[in-house]
Amino acid sequence: MSERDRRTGGLALGVAAFNAALTVAAAVVTWNGGPSPWAAAAVSSVLVLLVLLRRR
């Protein structure tokens, strides 16, 4: 794997982690007595992050 590929992969991982953190925070803030659409977004964001972490 080239150095450029590693940097791109690290950037993708960072963006996925940031996205997961934001969507989880939004899901927690908007959880008003029940799940909101943000909960589904948070789950999918975390799953994408886990897939990227597993590949790394």
Side-chain angles (χ1 to χ4, degrees):
M1 184 181 275
S2 72
E3 183 64 30
R4 185 174 181 186
D5 290 341
R6 287 183 184 269
R7 280 186 292 187
T8 303
L11 179 63
L13 188 60
V15 169
F18 183 71
N19 184 40
L22 284 179
T23 53
V24 167
V28 168
V29 169
T30 60
W31 190 282
N32 193 13
S36 70
W38 284 107
V43 169
S44 63
S45 293
V46 170
L47 288 175
V48 167
L49 179 62
L50 290 174
V51 166
L52 288 174
L53 283 173
R54 177 139 173 110
R55 286 187 158 195
R56 201 131 162 85

